[in-house]
Amino acid sequence: MAPTPAEPAPPVVVVMGVAGTGKTTVGRHLAELLEVPFAEGDEFHPPANIAKMSAGTPLDDDDRAPWLDLIGVWAHEHRGGGGVVSCSALKRAYRDRLRATAPGLFFVHLNGERALIERRMADRKGHFMPRSLLDSQFATLEPLRPDEAGVVVDLSATPEEIARTAAAALRDLP
């Protein structure tokens, strides 16, 4: 969606949440609605991170730092034209790190019942993140705070409905 002179440029949106919330699926739908590029955050992980998670070991802040920096660079490069990227962005410090590289980010926090997320993780095939790491994801999660640009969306709706809700929140931005 190319901005017109009277219309501001679309922000870069980070679709966030614990593993299994549908960040990739919702992010793709949202990018399509907004007519902007989509980036899959997992593709920014170095092989060592993927190996660690595949082995059932949670990442720590040191593991996540270079990954977050790469996502931040992508977001920075898409400022002015918009984009959507999936990224767990579990801690406020992680979101602050992303915003330091790409100011003006908008976060869509996919939030829902743990049982639903566990079912989704059990149903997905070919992903490196085991269900055993869900506890560490929830333990790390710091929900969006009122001073953070973003919206919390219940993930019990369909991915298309969630994307439309997120797009509506973006339209309501000042």
PDB file of all heavy atoms in Angstrom, residues 1-3 7 9-13 27-39 74 78 80-85 170:
ATOM      1  N   MET A   1       0.849  -1.153   0.000  1.00  0.00           N
ATOM      2  CA  MET A   1       0.000   0.000   0.000  1.00  0.00           C
ATOM      3  C   MET A   1       0.901   1.224   0.000  1.00  0.00           C
ATOM      4  O   MET A   1       1.475   1.562   1.014  1.00  0.00           O
ATOM      5  CB  MET A   1      -0.931  -0.130   1.219  1.00  0.00           C
ATOM      6  CG  MET A   1      -1.060   1.072   2.062  1.00  0.00           C
ATOM      7  SD  MET A   1      -2.490   1.158   3.129  1.00  0.00           S
ATOM      8  CE  MET A   1      -2.299  -0.003   4.374  1.00  0.00           C
ATOM      9  N   ALA A   2       1.052   1.837  -1.127  1.00  0.00           N
ATOM     10  CA  ALA A   2       1.902   3.021  -1.258  1.00  0.00           C
ATOM     11  C   ALA A   2       1.168   4.228  -0.686  1.00  0.00           C
ATOM     12  O   ALA A   2       0.008   4.457  -1.002  1.00  0.00           O
ATOM     13  CB  ALA A   2       2.243   3.259  -2.714  1.00  0.00           C
ATOM     14  N   PRO A   3       1.838   4.982   0.188  1.00  0.00           N
ATOM     15  CA  PRO A   3       1.161   6.134   0.792  1.00  0.00           C
ATOM     16  C   PRO A   3       0.951   7.242  -0.230  1.00  0.00           C
ATOM     17  O   PRO A   3       1.770   7.463  -1.113  1.00  0.00           O
ATOM     18  CB  PRO A   3       2.118   6.577   1.898  1.00  0.00           C
ATOM     19  CG  PRO A   3       3.453   6.034   1.513  1.00  0.00           C
ATOM     20  CD  PRO A   3       3.191   4.803   0.679  1.00  0.00           C
ATOM     21  N   GLU A   7      -1.700  10.727   3.074  1.00  0.00           N
ATOM     22  CA  GLU A   7      -1.786   9.533   3.914  1.00  0.00           C
ATOM     23  C   GLU A   7      -0.393   9.159   4.418  1.00  0.00           C
ATOM     24  O   GLU A   7       0.553   9.122   3.660  1.00  0.00           O
ATOM     25  CB  GLU A   7      -2.385   8.443   3.019  1.00  0.00           C
ATOM     26  CG  GLU A   7      -2.344   7.065   3.496  1.00  0.00           C
ATOM     27  CD  GLU A   7      -2.903   6.113   2.431  1.00  0.00           C
ATOM     28  OE1 GLU A   7      -3.747   6.504   1.627  1.00  0.00           O
ATOM     29  OE2 GLU A   7      -2.450   4.973   2.421  1.00  0.00           O
ATOM     30  N   ALA A   9       2.783   6.945   5.761  1.00  0.00           N
ATOM     31  CA  ALA A   9       3.328   5.647   5.364  1.00  0.00           C
ATOM     32  C   ALA A   9       2.883   4.593   6.372  1.00  0.00           C
ATOM     33  O   ALA A   9       2.776   4.866   7.566  1.00  0.00           O
ATOM     34  CB  ALA A   9       4.852   5.718   5.334  1.00  0.00           C
ATOM     35  N   PRO A  10       2.610   3.380   5.890  1.00  0.00           N
ATOM     36  CA  PRO A  10       2.218   2.326   6.833  1.00  0.00           C
ATOM     37  C   PRO A  10       3.392   1.958   7.732  1.00  0.00           C
ATOM     38  O   PRO A  10       4.550   1.988   7.302  1.00  0.00           O
ATOM     39  CB  PRO A  10       1.836   1.164   5.922  1.00  0.00           C
ATOM     40  CG  PRO A  10       2.515   1.420   4.627  1.00  0.00           C
ATOM     41  CD  PRO A  10       2.671   2.912   4.523  1.00  0.00           C
ATOM     42  N   PRO A  11       3.108   1.633   8.985  1.00  0.00           N
ATOM     43  CA  PRO A  11       4.194   1.254   9.884  1.00  0.00           C
ATOM     44  C   PRO A  11       4.683  -0.157   9.584  1.00  0.00           C
ATOM     45  O   PRO A  11       4.050  -0.905   8.840  1.00  0.00           O
ATOM     46  CB  PRO A  11       3.532   1.302  11.263  1.00  0.00           C
ATOM     47  CG  PRO A  11       2.102   0.961  10.991  1.00  0.00           C
ATOM     48  CD  PRO A  11       1.807   1.580   9.639  1.00  0.00           C
ATOM     49  N   VAL A  12       5.795  -0.496  10.179  1.00  0.00           N
ATOM     50  CA  VAL A  12       6.235  -1.881  10.164  1.00  0.00           C
ATOM     51  C   VAL A  12       5.580  -2.529  11.376  1.00  0.00           C
ATOM     52  O   VAL A  12       5.606  -1.982  12.487  1.00  0.00           O
ATOM     53  CB  VAL A  12       7.771  -1.993  10.224  1.00  0.00           C
ATOM     54  CG1 VAL A  12       8.191  -3.454  10.348  1.00  0.00           C
ATOM     55  CG2 VAL A  12       8.391  -1.370   8.974  1.00  0.00           C
ATOM     56  N   VAL A  13       4.966  -3.674  11.147  1.00  0.00           N
ATOM     57  CA  VAL A  13       4.218  -4.388  12.174  1.00  0.00           C
ATOM     58  C   VAL A  13       4.988  -5.633  12.577  1.00  0.00           C
ATOM     59  O   VAL A  13       5.466  -6.386  11.717  1.00  0.00           O
ATOM     60  CB  VAL A  13       2.824  -4.788  11.644  1.00  0.00           C
ATOM     61  CG1 VAL A  13       2.056  -5.585  12.699  1.00  0.00           C
ATOM     62  CG2 VAL A  13       2.041  -3.566  11.201  1.00  0.00           C
ATOM     63  N   GLY A  27       0.651 -13.165  10.212  1.00  0.00           N
ATOM     64  CA  GLY A  27       1.515 -12.172   9.586  1.00  0.00           C
ATOM     65  C   GLY A  27       1.379 -12.151   8.071  1.00  0.00           C
ATOM     66  O   GLY A  27       1.330 -11.077   7.464  1.00  0.00           O
ATOM     67  N   ARG A  28       1.312 -13.322   7.478  1.00  0.00           N
ATOM     68  CA  ARG A  28       1.135 -13.383   6.006  1.00  0.00           C
ATOM     69  C   ARG A  28      -0.201 -12.773   5.583  1.00  0.00           C
ATOM     70  O   ARG A  28      -0.270 -12.029   4.607  1.00  0.00           O
ATOM     71  CB  ARG A  28       1.260 -14.825   5.526  1.00  0.00           C
ATOM     72  CG  ARG A  28       2.677 -15.310   5.512  1.00  0.00           C
ATOM     73  CD  ARG A  28       2.817 -16.653   4.795  1.00  0.00           C
ATOM     74  NE  ARG A  28       4.223 -16.989   4.694  1.00  0.00           N
ATOM     75  CZ  ARG A  28       4.776 -18.068   5.228  1.00  0.00           C
ATOM     76  NH1 ARG A  28       4.033 -18.938   5.875  1.00  0.00           N
ATOM     77  NH2 ARG A  28       6.065 -18.291   5.086  1.00  0.00           N
ATOM     78  N   HIS A  29      -1.268 -13.114   6.314  1.00  0.00           N
ATOM     79  CA  HIS A  29      -2.584 -12.538   5.996  1.00  0.00           C
ATOM     80  C   HIS A  29      -2.574 -11.019   6.170  1.00  0.00           C
ATOM     81  O   HIS A  29      -3.112 -10.298   5.328  1.00  0.00           O
ATOM     82  CB  HIS A  29      -3.673 -13.151   6.882  1.00  0.00           C
ATOM     83  CG  HIS A  29      -4.064 -14.528   6.498  1.00  0.00           C
ATOM     84  ND1 HIS A  29      -4.686 -14.849   5.315  1.00  0.00           N
ATOM     85  CD2 HIS A  29      -3.923 -15.707   7.164  1.00  0.00           C
ATOM     86  CE1 HIS A  29      -4.908 -16.150   5.255  1.00  0.00           C
ATOM     87  NE2 HIS A  29      -4.451 -16.698   6.371  1.00  0.00           N
ATOM     88  N   LEU A  30      -1.960 -10.555   7.251  1.00  0.00           N
ATOM     89  CA  LEU A  30      -1.916  -9.116   7.504  1.00  0.00           C
ATOM     90  C   LEU A  30      -1.112  -8.398   6.423  1.00  0.00           C
ATOM     91  O   LEU A  30      -1.531  -7.347   5.920  1.00  0.00           O
ATOM     92  CB  LEU A  30      -1.342  -8.839   8.894  1.00  0.00           C
ATOM     93  CG  LEU A  30      -1.272  -7.376   9.321  1.00  0.00           C
ATOM     94  CD1 LEU A  30      -2.643  -6.707   9.288  1.00  0.00           C
ATOM     95  CD2 LEU A  30      -0.664  -7.269  10.721  1.00  0.00           C
ATOM     96  N   ALA A  31       0.026  -8.949   6.050  1.00  0.00           N
ATOM     97  CA  ALA A  31       0.843  -8.339   4.986  1.00  0.00           C
ATOM     98  C   ALA A  31       0.059  -8.264   3.680  1.00  0.00           C
ATOM     99  O   ALA A  31       0.141  -7.265   2.954  1.00  0.00           O
ATOM    100  CB  ALA A  31       2.134  -9.123   4.807  1.00  0.00           C
ATOM    101  N   GLU A  32      -0.700  -9.307   3.403  1.00  0.00           N
ATOM    102  CA  GLU A  32      -1.513  -9.304   2.180  1.00  0.00           C
ATOM    103  C   GLU A  32      -2.583  -8.211   2.243  1.00  0.00           C
ATOM    104  O   GLU A  32      -2.777  -7.470   1.267  1.00  0.00           O
ATOM    105  CB  GLU A  32      -2.164 -10.679   2.010  1.00  0.00           C
ATOM    106  CG  GLU A  32      -2.902 -10.834   0.705  1.00  0.00           C
ATOM    107  CD  GLU A  32      -3.437 -12.251   0.548  1.00  0.00           C
ATOM    108  OE1 GLU A  32      -2.626 -13.208   0.595  1.00  0.00           O
ATOM    109  OE2 GLU A  32      -4.662 -12.394   0.380  1.00  0.00           O
ATOM    110  N   LEU A  33      -3.250  -8.087   3.389  1.00  0.00           N
ATOM    111  CA  LEU A  33      -4.264  -7.034   3.550  1.00  0.00           C
ATOM    112  C   LEU A  33      -3.665  -5.646   3.387  1.00  0.00           C
ATOM    113  O   LEU A  33      -4.276  -4.760   2.790  1.00  0.00           O
ATOM    114  CB  LEU A  33      -4.910  -7.122   4.929  1.00  0.00           C
ATOM    115  CG  LEU A  33      -5.996  -8.150   5.157  1.00  0.00           C
ATOM    116  CD1 LEU A  33      -6.397  -8.176   6.633  1.00  0.00           C
ATOM    117  CD2 LEU A  33      -7.212  -7.857   4.304  1.00  0.00           C
ATOM    118  N   LEU A  34      -2.469  -5.454   3.952  1.00  0.00           N
ATOM    119  CA  LEU A  34      -1.820  -4.140   3.912  1.00  0.00           C
ATOM    120  C   LEU A  34      -1.039  -3.896   2.624  1.00  0.00           C
ATOM    121  O   LEU A  34      -0.551  -2.789   2.397  1.00  0.00           O
ATOM    122  CB  LEU A  34      -0.877  -3.998   5.118  1.00  0.00           C
ATOM    123  CG  LEU A  34      -1.510  -4.102   6.502  1.00  0.00           C
ATOM    124  CD1 LEU A  34      -0.433  -4.051   7.582  1.00  0.00           C
ATOM    125  CD2 LEU A  34      -2.553  -3.013   6.708  1.00  0.00           C
ATOM    126  N   GLU A  35      -0.877  -4.966   1.843  1.00  0.00           N
ATOM    127  CA  GLU A  35      -0.107  -4.897   0.589  1.00  0.00           C
ATOM    128  C   GLU A  35       1.330  -4.454   0.850  1.00  0.00           C
ATOM    129  O   GLU A  35       1.852  -3.547   0.201  1.00  0.00           O
ATOM    130  CB  GLU A  35      -0.801  -3.987  -0.423  1.00  0.00           C
ATOM    131  CG  GLU A  35      -2.188  -4.469  -0.811  1.00  0.00           C
ATOM    132  CD  GLU A  35      -2.898  -3.538  -1.782  1.00  0.00           C
ATOM    133  OE1 GLU A  35      -2.321  -2.506  -2.191  1.00  0.00           O
ATOM    134  OE2 GLU A  35      -4.049  -3.846  -2.131  1.00  0.00           O
ATOM    135  N   VAL A  36       1.950  -5.143   1.827  1.00  0.00           N
ATOM    136  CA  VAL A  36       3.339  -4.861   2.189  1.00  0.00           C
ATOM    137  C   VAL A  36       4.091  -6.192   2.267  1.00  0.00           C
ATOM    138  O   VAL A  36       3.485  -7.257   2.356  1.00  0.00           O
ATOM    139  CB  VAL A  36       3.437  -4.105   3.538  1.00  0.00           C
ATOM    140  CG1 VAL A  36       2.775  -2.728   3.444  1.00  0.00           C
ATOM    141  CG2 VAL A  36       2.850  -4.915   4.684  1.00  0.00           C
ATOM    142  N   PRO A  37       5.425  -6.165   2.263  1.00  0.00           N
ATOM    143  CA  PRO A  37       6.206  -7.399   2.355  1.00  0.00           C
ATOM    144  C   PRO A  37       6.061  -8.064   3.731  1.00  0.00           C
ATOM    145  O   PRO A  37       5.804  -7.399   4.740  1.00  0.00           O
ATOM    146  CB  PRO A  37       7.650  -6.952   2.154  1.00  0.00           C
ATOM    147  CG  PRO A  37       7.597  -5.545   1.688  1.00  0.00           C
ATOM    148  CD  PRO A  37       6.265  -4.982   2.056  1.00  0.00           C
ATOM    149  N   PHE A  38       6.245  -9.375   3.736  1.00  0.00           N
ATOM    150  CA  PHE A  38       6.235 -10.162   4.966  1.00  0.00           C
ATOM    151  C   PHE A  38       7.584 -10.839   5.135  1.00  0.00           C
ATOM    152  O   PHE A  38       8.166 -11.333   4.167  1.00  0.00           O
ATOM    153  CB  PHE A  38       5.139 -11.237   4.927  1.00  0.00           C
ATOM    154  CG  PHE A  38       5.212 -12.182   6.098  1.00  0.00           C
ATOM    155  CD1 PHE A  38       4.805 -11.781   7.362  1.00  0.00           C
ATOM    156  CD2 PHE A  38       5.721 -13.460   5.945  1.00  0.00           C
ATOM    157  CE1 PHE A  38       4.904 -12.631   8.445  1.00  0.00           C
ATOM    158  CE2 PHE A  38       5.819 -14.327   7.026  1.00  0.00           C
ATOM    159  CZ  PHE A  38       5.401 -13.911   8.280  1.00  0.00           C
ATOM    160  N   ALA A  39       8.061 -10.889   6.381  1.00  0.00           N
ATOM    161  CA  ALA A  39       9.293 -11.621   6.702  1.00  0.00           C
ATOM    162  C   ALA A  39       9.002 -12.579   7.849  1.00  0.00           C
ATOM    163  O   ALA A  39       8.399 -12.188   8.850  1.00  0.00           O
ATOM    164  CB  ALA A  39      10.421 -10.665   7.083  1.00  0.00           C
ATOM    165  N   TRP A  74      15.865  -5.468   9.262  1.00  0.00           N
ATOM    166  CA  TRP A  74      14.820  -5.666   8.242  1.00  0.00           C
ATOM    167  C   TRP A  74      13.724  -4.622   8.434  1.00  0.00           C
ATOM    168  O   TRP A  74      13.284  -3.987   7.462  1.00  0.00           O
ATOM    169  CB  TRP A  74      14.236  -7.086   8.325  1.00  0.00           C
ATOM    170  CG  TRP A  74      13.257  -7.374   7.233  1.00  0.00           C
ATOM    171  CD1 TRP A  74      13.529  -7.921   6.016  1.00  0.00           C
ATOM    172  CD2 TRP A  74      11.841  -7.094   7.239  1.00  0.00           C
ATOM    173  NE1 TRP A  74      12.373  -8.000   5.272  1.00  0.00           N
ATOM    174  CE2 TRP A  74      11.326  -7.500   6.000  1.00  0.00           C
ATOM    175  CE3 TRP A  74      10.975  -6.537   8.169  1.00  0.00           C
ATOM    176  CZ2 TRP A  74       9.975  -7.385   5.666  1.00  0.00           C
ATOM    177  CZ3 TRP A  74       9.618  -6.408   7.838  1.00  0.00           C
ATOM    178  CH2 TRP A  74       9.129  -6.829   6.603  1.00  0.00           C
ATOM    179  N   HIS A  78      12.400  -1.314   5.979  1.00  0.00           N
ATOM    180  CA  HIS A  78      11.042  -1.244   5.441  1.00  0.00           C
ATOM    181  C   HIS A  78      10.236  -0.069   5.995  1.00  0.00           C
ATOM    182  O   HIS A  78       9.055   0.084   5.664  1.00  0.00           O
ATOM    183  CB  HIS A  78      10.323  -2.578   5.672  1.00  0.00           C
ATOM    184  CG  HIS A  78      10.857  -3.647   4.781  1.00  0.00           C
ATOM    185  ND1 HIS A  78      12.012  -4.356   5.082  1.00  0.00           N
ATOM    186  CD2 HIS A  78      10.455  -4.072   3.574  1.00  0.00           C
ATOM    187  CE1 HIS A  78      12.270  -5.190   4.090  1.00  0.00           C
ATOM    188  NE2 HIS A  78      11.342  -5.040   3.167  1.00  0.00           N
ATOM    189  N   GLY A  80       8.782   3.482   6.076  1.00  0.00           N
ATOM    190  CA  GLY A  80       8.406   4.342   4.963  1.00  0.00           C
ATOM    191  C   GLY A  80       7.544   3.633   3.950  1.00  0.00           C
ATOM    192  O   GLY A  80       6.736   4.254   3.284  1.00  0.00           O
ATOM    193  N   GLY A  81       7.704   2.318   3.833  1.00  0.00           N
ATOM    194  CA  GLY A  81       6.884   1.560   2.897  1.00  0.00           C
ATOM    195  C   GLY A  81       6.052   0.499   3.586  1.00  0.00           C
ATOM    196  O   GLY A  81       5.144  -0.068   3.011  1.00  0.00           O
ATOM    197  N   GLY A  82       6.388   0.231   4.838  1.00  0.00           N
ATOM    198  CA  GLY A  82       5.634  -0.748   5.611  1.00  0.00           C
ATOM    199  C   GLY A  82       6.120  -2.162   5.411  1.00  0.00           C
ATOM    200  O   GLY A  82       6.821  -2.485   4.450  1.00  0.00           O
ATOM    201  N   GLY A  83       5.745  -3.002   6.333  1.00  0.00           N
ATOM    202  CA  GLY A  83       6.088  -4.410   6.280  1.00  0.00           C
ATOM    203  C   GLY A  83       5.532  -5.096   7.510  1.00  0.00           C
ATOM    204  O   GLY A  83       5.119  -4.450   8.464  1.00  0.00           O
ATOM    205  N   VAL A  84       5.519  -6.407   7.458  1.00  0.00           N
ATOM    206  CA  VAL A  84       5.074  -7.229   8.580  1.00  0.00           C
ATOM    207  C   VAL A  84       6.127  -8.294   8.803  1.00  0.00           C
ATOM    208  O   VAL A  84       6.593  -8.925   7.850  1.00  0.00           O
ATOM    209  CB  VAL A  84       3.706  -7.892   8.297  1.00  0.00           C
ATOM    210  CG1 VAL A  84       3.301  -8.819   9.449  1.00  0.00           C
ATOM    211  CG2 VAL A  84       2.623  -6.849   8.033  1.00  0.00           C
ATOM    212  N   VAL A  85       6.512  -8.480  10.064  1.00  0.00           N
ATOM    213  CA  VAL A  85       7.497  -9.499  10.410  1.00  0.00           C
ATOM    214  C   VAL A  85       6.993 -10.258  11.630  1.00  0.00           C
ATOM    215  O   VAL A  85       6.429  -9.662  12.550  1.00  0.00           O
ATOM    216  CB  VAL A  85       8.901  -8.892  10.651  1.00  0.00           C
ATOM    217  CG1 VAL A  85       8.907  -7.908  11.794  1.00  0.00           C
ATOM    218  CG2 VAL A  85       9.951  -9.978  10.861  1.00  0.00           C
ATOM    219  N   LEU A 170      -4.627  -0.700  13.061  1.00  0.00           N
ATOM    220  CA  LEU A 170      -3.666   0.165  12.362  1.00  0.00           C
ATOM    221  C   LEU A 170      -4.372   1.367  11.735  1.00  0.00           C
ATOM    222  O   LEU A 170      -3.847   2.476  11.755  1.00  0.00           O
ATOM    223  CB  LEU A 170      -2.927  -0.628  11.283  1.00  0.00           C
ATOM    224  CG  LEU A 170      -1.895  -1.599  11.800  1.00  0.00           C
ATOM    225  CD1 LEU A 170      -1.512  -2.603  10.727  1.00  0.00           C
ATOM    226  CD2 LEU A 170      -0.664  -0.854  12.283  1.00  0.00           C
TER     227      LEU A 170
END
